[in-house]
Amino acid sequence: MSDSLARKTQPQLDESLLVHLPPFSKLETRQIRAILDQATTRRIEEGAAIFDEGAPAERFYLLLDGYVRVVRLSPTGERITALHIPPGQLLGIARALGRTDYPATAVAAAESIVLSWPTRLWDSFVAEYEGFSTETYAVVGQRLEEMSERIMELATQHVEQRVANSLLRLINQTGRKVAGGIEIDFPITRQDLSEMTGTTLHTVSRLLSGWEKQGLVKSQRKRIMVCDAHALVVLSQP
DNA sequence: CCATTAAGTATAC
DNA sequence: GTATACTTAATGG
């Protein structure tokens, strides 16, 4: 049950896991070894929560593989997806925001692997590891920018433009090149897209059906591929 | 223009 | 077979 026991049952983690990731790229092997030796690895299945909004922020995380969506619950129980996190990024960094609890729930959008550390180690990471705090600032700034961008969209753009923008962001951040276009790299439903854009799954379904007929996108259940990104860009402009 | 309701088909477990 | 994903039409704010 204890951390040390949990770690003992894990295979020894390889330094190469971290050495190319921005928060750790300036560190020596010795330091990365120390960081890994304190980490706990966990596999999260699709749809499972990594931590919940409002819970005490006991650990902070690094997403090694998979995708995570950050969701909040409205008072009436509707889910709002704030953003998606790609592999290699930190999450659950409540400490960096001056908080002691998690401001949102993190759900695995696809099967994911995370490393985590107790939050009490946060300050020593910031103090001892060169590049760790600057990368944290960069990530926080990047997410702030994305969220403020989306506030502008919600306030000024029509549903069609918002859904087009969401798709474009998804293929930019998590797109995978496939024959015929760029596919979103994790399972995503109309419901998910509607939660990102503040609309209903029916409206998203109608839009995607229309775009599919025009050859802009191609979709199967839980899979969306963008065939003509430029046409979506045109649509996304008011 | 877009949400809601409703009713239907398709696909996965 | 039943739950889940998706489509489509109709109605109304």
Side-chain angles (χ1 to χ4, degrees), chain A residues 24-157:
Chain A
F24 308 106
S25 57
K26 293 182 177 160
L27 304 179
E28 296 163 23
T29 307
R30 197 194 88 254
Q31 296 174 299
I32 291 182
R33 188 70 260 154
I35 288 172
L36 282 174
D37 285 344
Q38 299 180 88
T40 301
T41 317
R42 189 147 71 98
R43 191 189 71 91
I44 319 284
E45 55 183 304
E46 183 185 330
I50 301 170
F51 51 80
D52 288 303
E53 178 175 355
E58 278 156 7
R59 308 187 72 83
F60 61 98
Y61 297 81
L62 177 76
L63 182 62
L64 276 186
D65 191 33
Y67 290 94
V68 167
R69 54 167 185 269
V70 176
V71 305
R72 300 203 52 198
L73 228 49
S74 80
T76 49
E78 293 150 302
R79 283 202 308 279
I80 307 295
T81 299
L83 48 84
H84 284 85
I85 295 177
Q89 281 197 9
L90 296 166
L91 68 150
I93 52 179
R95 188 71 187 73
L97 309 174
R99 300 184 55 120
T100 56
D101 56 4
Y102 296 116
T105 298
V107 176
E111 176 170 328
S112 298
I113 308 285
V114 295
L115 292 183
S116 73
W117 300 267
T119 297
R120 62 180 157 75
L121 295 180
W122 180 267
D123 289 333
S124 62
F125 273 42
V126 167
E128 288 170 38
Y129 300 132
E130 188 194 352
F132 185 81
S133 68
T134 47
E135 174 58 17
T136 303
Y137 289 135
V139 165
V140 171
Q142 189 182 312
R143 290 180 193 167
L144 192 67
E145 196 176 313
E146 178 172 341
M147 289 188 200
S148 73
E149 181 76 17
R150 294 201 39 231
I151 291 174
M152 288 295 288
E153 288 178 18
L154 279 170
T156 64
Q157 297 188 338

Side-chain angles (χ1 to χ4, degrees), chain A residues 86 94 104 147 166 168 214 235:
Chain A
M147 289 188 200
S166 261
L168 288 169
Q214 301 169 53
L235 274 180

Side-chain angles (χ1 to χ4, degrees), chain A residues 28 50 55 75-76 98 122 159 168 171 191 204 211 213 232 235:
Chain A
E28 296 163 23
I50 301 170
T76 49
W122 180 267
V159 169
L168 288 169
I171 60 165
Q191 175 76 37
V204 171
W211 292 343
K213 286 194 184 89
L232 278 184
L235 274 180

